[in-house]
Amino acid sequence: MYEQGVIRPPSEAQSLLIRVTRNCPWNQCIFCPAYKGVKFSRRTVEEVKQDIDNMEKEYASYKNTIKSAFLQDADSLVLKTEDILEIIDYTKQKFPGLERITTYARATTLKRKTVEELQQLCKAGLTRIHVGMESGSEKVLKMIRKGITPEDIVEGGKKVVEAGMSLSEYIMPGVGGRTMSSENAIETARLLNQIKPDFIRVRTFAMHPMSPMRKLVEDGTFVTMNDAEIVSEIRLLVETLDEMHTYFSCGDFSLNLLMQVDGYLDEKKAYMLSELDKFLALTPEQQKAYALIRRSSYMQYPIEAVQNEELMRKILPEIEKLEKDDPEGFHKYIETLKSYQLPQPQTDEWK
Ligand code: SF4
């Protein structure tokens, strides 16, 4: 038996999951269901080693083929650097085929580590850090109670880059709502241009039905954005990002409407802008039809699919039906489809 946490990045789907802490030490972000209702705790090095021994036994027949490991849960670097080094070392002894070890970390935690500590971790094998940045806007960060400032994001991110580690920054178009959309795009791009991470991973915002953000919608503080508005926000973001050697990725997360907007900014920025423009040039009916076919399955479709008249003849009555009694009916339906893809809280206690 060994413990495992509830989430890991999609790029770590094949990785050995080693739980070094439980849940999230911050746990206050109002959009995030993952750890609500469950408490944070540190695990001892001995406990983690016991888990690694058990995994070694369970995976004995193919343990040398396992190439990557991910340290869970939300902010592993809160542990003492010497403890993480001991865990990494032990993992590599037991799984000698490992080529990559990665983890999540909060910007404030990275800020507290010295570059020398991060270099030590990198040399030991922790070669990539995944950071949930969400937004570069101070106002948006405050509204979502992220508990970090733009300065924390830049300082923490730059330290990782300086230490020679690979850095993945996760951002959330739409999380500022309609009123802060431009600010969310421009401020996020401004910070990313300073940090120059290896990856920018796009996580289009979707609201969990239990999220306290519902209250902000009810009192009019937060206005949710439709797909066309979020595509416009992503366009402004891509336009503002420098042509740096950073991989901009919509392709690894199906809540992103246009998953083909994916590639190195110094190679494919013009292509990515042209795909975003292609969608924005569609009629409002075609945009809704595209959103409906994309969000009703995990299939990807070229934008041109909605120029097919026969397809539109089938889809338009469905859209009309959704809007018959409520002009917002289509938007609400898409919001519900999007929320199905979010992780569920582990308890009903999300206040
Ligand atoms: S988004 Fe990250 S930091 Fe915020 S509560 Fe969720 S896991 Fe914790």
Side-chain angles (χ1 to χ4, degrees), residues 7 23-36 74-75 106 132 134 145-146:
I7 55 169
N23 309 311
C24 173
W26 173 250
N27 212 11
Q28 295 187 44
C29 304
I30 58 173
F31 63 89
C32 171
Y35 304 107
K36 293 298 183 291
D75 193 14
R106 278 173 56 76
E134 328 307 354
R145 287 194 226 139
K146 184 73 196 173

Side-chain angles (χ1 to χ4, degrees), residues 1 15 46 60 103 139 191-192 254 261 273 293 332 338:
M1 283 288 287
S15 300
E46 286 319 308
T103 193
K139 284 190 210 149
L191 301 199
L192 290 167
S254 59
V261 176
L273 287 173
I293 58 172
K332 288 179 187 162
K338 283 164 72 180

Side-chain angles (χ1 to χ4, degrees), residues 294-348:
R294 257 291 283 116
R295 302 232 176 267
S296 305
S297 77
Y298 285 98
M299 298 266 295
Q300 287 189 50
Y301 294 89
I303 294 168
E304 292 77 10
V306 289
Q307 274 148 6
N308 178 314
E309 288 180 13
E310 200 187 323
L311 181 83
M312 288 300 282
R313 266 198 299 278
K314 280 186 197 154
I315 294 177
L316 285 180
E318 299 303 319
I319 298 173
E320 280 162 21
K321 231 187 279 172
L322 289 164
E323 291 181 335
K324 192 165 160 263
D325 300 319
D326 176 1
E328 286 297 301
F330 176 79
H331 178 54
K332 288 179 187 162
Y333 181 68
I334 294 289
E335 289 295 292
T336 305
L337 289 181
K338 283 164 72 180
S339 72
Y340 291 156
Q341 292 187 48
L342 295 170
Q344 292 306 312
Q346 299 174 57
T347 74
D348 289 336

Side-chain angles (χ1 to χ4, degrees), residues 9-25:
S11 56
E12 304 296 338
Q14 307 300 324
S15 300
L16 192 69
L17 300 179
I18 301 169
R19 196 175 202 197
V20 302
T21 66
R22 300 183 184 93
N23 309 311
C24 173

Side-chain angles (χ1 to χ4, degrees), residues 80-95:
K80 283 188 200 142
T81 300
E82 67 214 49
D83 289 352
I84 308 168
L85 287 169
E86 195 175 335
I87 291 167
I88 291 172
D89 189 48
Y90 195 72
T91 309
K92 281 166 58 184
Q93 283 173 38
K94 298 289 175 173
F95 292 88

Side-chain angles (χ1 to χ4, degrees), residues 74-325:
D75 193 14
S76 312
L77 297 196
V78 293
L79 292 183
K80 283 188 200 142
T81 300
E82 67 214 49
D83 289 352
I84 308 168
L85 287 169
E86 195 175 335
I87 291 167
I88 291 172
D89 189 48
Y90 195 72
T91 309
K92 281 166 58 184
Q93 283 173 38
K94 298 289 175 173
F95 292 88
L98 284 180
E99 291 169 2
R100 189 186 77 197
I101 302 175
T102 76
T103 193
Y104 283 132
R106 278 173 56 76
T108 40
T109 305
L110 291 169
K111 223 177 99 170
R112 282 195 294 272
K113 294 275 184 213
T114 63
V115 173
E116 291 68 34
E117 283 177 292
L118 294 173
Q119 277 168 338
Q120 260 183 303
L121 289 165
C122 182
K123 207 165 149 214
L126 186 69
T127 51
R128 180 175 296 164
I129 306 287
H130 300 270
V131 181
M133 166 181 175
E134 328 307 354
S135 172
S137 153
E138 187 161 15
K139 284 190 210 149
V140 174
L141 291 167
K142 271 193 185 139
M143 178 191 70
I144 62 176
R145 287 194 226 139
K146 184 73 196 173
I148 57 175
T149 64
E151 292 71 31
D152 296 332
I153 293 169
V154 173
E155 198 180 327
K158 279 187 164 180
K159 275 188 170 175
V160 173
V161 174
E162 196 184 332
M165 294 164 137
S166 164
L167 175 64
S168 272
E169 294 276 4
Y170 292 72
I171 57 161
M172 203 170 259
V175 76
R178 196 178 288 159
T179 45
M180 289 198 276
S181 174
S182 304
E183 166 159 351
N184 193 34
I186 290 169
E187 288 303 298
T188 302
R190 192 176 67 81
L191 301 199
L192 290 167
N193 285 340
Q194 293 175 56
I195 302 167
K196 302 190 194 323
D198 298 84
F199 297 92
I200 299 170
R201 299 191 186 274
V202 178
R203 299 293 181 257
T204 292
F205 172 72
M207 194 180 296
H208 193 281
M210 287 163 71
S211 165
M213 288 185 87
R214 292 270 164 218
K215 286 200 192 84
L216 302 184
V217 175
E218 282 157 25
D219 70 21
T221 320
F222 185 86
V223 184
T224 56
M225 295 166 71
N226 65 31
D227 273 313
E229 290 169 323
I230 294 182
V231 170
S232 290
E233 183 176 315
I234 295 174
R235 199 216 179 275
L236 178 58
L237 170 81
V238 174
E239 190 191 341
T240 316
L241 283 167
D242 292 341
E243 288 185 24
M244 51 195 168
H245 193 61
T246 292
Y247 199 93
F248 184 89
S249 178
C250 288
D252 69 345
F253 192 62
S254 59
L255 270 174
N256 298 326
L257 186 74
L258 304 180
M259 294 175 73
Q260 66 273 40
V261 176
D262 201 83
Y264 281 103
L265 285 162
D266 57 354
E267 292 169 8
K268 290 180 81 177
K269 180 169 165 172
Y271 159 77
M272 293 192 272
L273 287 173
S274 74
E275 279 299 294
L276 293 158
D277 285 339
K278 223 190 278 176
F279 179 82
L280 293 170
L282 296 173
T283 65
E285 286 71 29
Q286 288 171 325
Q287 289 177 344
K288 285 181 187 170
Y290 187 83
L292 189 60
I293 58 172
R294 257 291 283 116
R295 302 232 176 267
S296 305
S297 77
Y298 285 98
M299 298 266 295
Q300 287 189 50
Y301 294 89
I303 294 168
E304 292 77 10
V306 289
Q307 274 148 6
N308 178 314
E309 288 180 13
E310 200 187 323
L311 181 83
M312 288 300 282
R313 266 198 299 278
K314 280 186 197 154
I315 294 177
L316 285 180
E318 299 303 319
I319 298 173
E320 280 162 21
K321 231 187 279 172
L322 289 164
E323 291 181 335
K324 192 165 160 263
D325 300 319

